[in-house]
Amino acid sequence: MWIIATLIASAAQTARNAAQRNLTVEIGTMGATAVRFLFGLPFAAAFLLLWSLISPIPMPDAPVLGWVALGASSQIAATALMLVIMKSRGFGVTTALIKTEPVSLALIGAVVLAEPMGAGRLAAIATATLGVILMSGTDWRSGGWRAAVTGLIAGGLFGLSAIGFRGAILALPDGGYVTRAGTVLVLGLLAQTLVMLIWLGLADRPALQGIARHWRGSLWAGFLGSFASLFWFLGFALTAAANVRTLALIEVGMAQLVSRKVLREGASRRQLFGMALIVLGVGALIALNAG
């Protein structure tokens, strides 16, 4: 079941990222970031309301809300950084960069928590890092390194969001996996919607006006975002996040297909080789951590 959920989530997320990329041009980075939360919440709430007719919804306590806050805030920041990279590096390249989340988390653990790395982990990180270097461009003097660093940070933040949401799902006092996933999804989207509305209202009102003008495209991106998140959360409720993240590497291939066939974006042989190294390195790192 978790394999099916992850595959559905990967396909829906690829479509949602493409929709958000197009909206970035029209309403800006923060406006496009807000869309997935503002327009995703009604769909998630409607699903949970219907599901409540079948199964009672558990009441979240303080630990659940704390985990949700970690997941929600990390996801907002990661989504904004992802859309920034897409402006300069293209859809397929950006997707591969943000899939370096296990590398970022391993480095954070080594520096902050003094966790031992070992030869295998170092080799996996070196492989993925070489892939990032190859994908980010050769002209580092003109700022090509910024996309690589931003991608690593975004990947790490997406990893933190996965940890936060899975923590919230496990912390709920009762309920089956669908009930837990739906409840945490609504809590997360509610928190993210409130944060984004406050932010845009204070700092970027033109983005709110742009969202209103482009409500049709925003509605589609919101639906896809809510749909993808529900299946991600179902995966997190059914198995360890490491298993979900490993299978989610298939999203790199999906994104490259969309990039070439739909968005008409090309990728050099160097970038394709870099993508392959990232997938290899990240997959090896997750396998080592699981072992």
Side-chain angles (χ1 to χ4, degrees):
M1 287 295 295
W2 72 265
I3 293 175
I4 296 173
T6 302
L7 291 175
I8 293 174
S10 296
Q13 180 161 295
T14 301
R16 186 214 65 210
N17 288 344
Q20 277 188 289
R21 174 189 180 277
N22 293 332
L23 285 170
T24 303
V25 180
E26 304 293 339
I27 59 179
T29 300
M30 293 309 295
T33 301
V35 157
R36 67 174 292 186
F37 310 126
L38 271 65
F39 288 84
L41 178 59
F43 293 106
F47 169 79
L48 188 61
L49 180 61
L50 291 174
W51 188 256
S52 68
L53 301 176
I54 303 174
S55 174
I57 305 302
M59 289 297 295
D61 53 15
V64 172
L65 296 178
W67 284 114
V68 168
L70 173 63
S73 58
S74 300
Q75 193 176 54
I76 288 175
T79 302
L81 291 177
M82 176 190 72
L83 294 175
V84 168
I85 306 171
M86 281 187 183
K87 288 183 178 180
S88 60
R89 285 295 180 265
F91 185 72
V93 171
T94 299
T95 300
L97 285 173
I98 63 176
K99 287 302 176 185
T100 57
E101 63 176 75
V103 174
S104 303
L105 294 178
L107 292 175
I108 292 172
V111 175
V112 178
L113 303 178
E115 294 177 342
M117 297 294 288
R121 287 179 175 82
L122 286 174
I125 290 174
T127 300
T129 302
L130 177 59
V132 170
I133 293 173
L134 291 174
M135 287 181 58
S136 57
T138 56
D139 192 1
W140 291 70
R141 291 175 299 179
S142 65
W145 56 272
R146 291 190 182 94
V149 173
T150 304
L152 288 171
I153 295 173
L157 288 170
F158 274 123
L160 284 177
S161 73
I163 292 172
F165 288 134
R166 175 161 168 78
I169 289 170
L170 296 179
L172 280 171
D174 47 46
Y177 67 92
V178 176
T179 302
R180 291 170 178 267
T183 301
V184 172
L185 174 59
V186 170
L187 290 173
L189 287 174
L190 180 60
Q192 290 164 327
T193 296
L194 292 175
V195 169
M196 294 306 302
L197 284 176
I198 293 172
W199 172 266
L200 294 177
L202 294 175
D204 197 353
R205 292 188 179 181
L208 282 175
Q209 298 169 354
I211 291 173
R213 288 196 307 271
H214 298 278
W215 66 270
R216 289 185 178 85
S218 299
L219 191 66
W220 177 238
F223 168 74
L224 288 172
S226 180
F227 185 78
S229 294
L230 176 61
F231 279 91
W232 285 128
F233 288 8
L234 288 173
F236 293 149
L238 290 166
T239 188
N243 294 333
V244 176
R245 291 204 311 266
T246 303
L247 185 57
L249 289 173
I250 195 173
E251 191 181 333
V252 176
M254 293 179 179
Q256 186 57 31
L257 183 63
V258 171
S259 179
R260 292 173 63 88
K261 301 297 184 181
V262 179
L263 302 178
R264 304 300 179 185
E265 295 174 345
S268 65
R269 291 182 178 178
R270 183 192 71 247
Q271 289 176 323
L272 291 174
F273 184 56
M275 289 183 195
L277 288 178
I278 288 176
V279 172
L280 177 62
V282 170
L285 183 61
I286 293 174
L288 288 168
N289 289 337

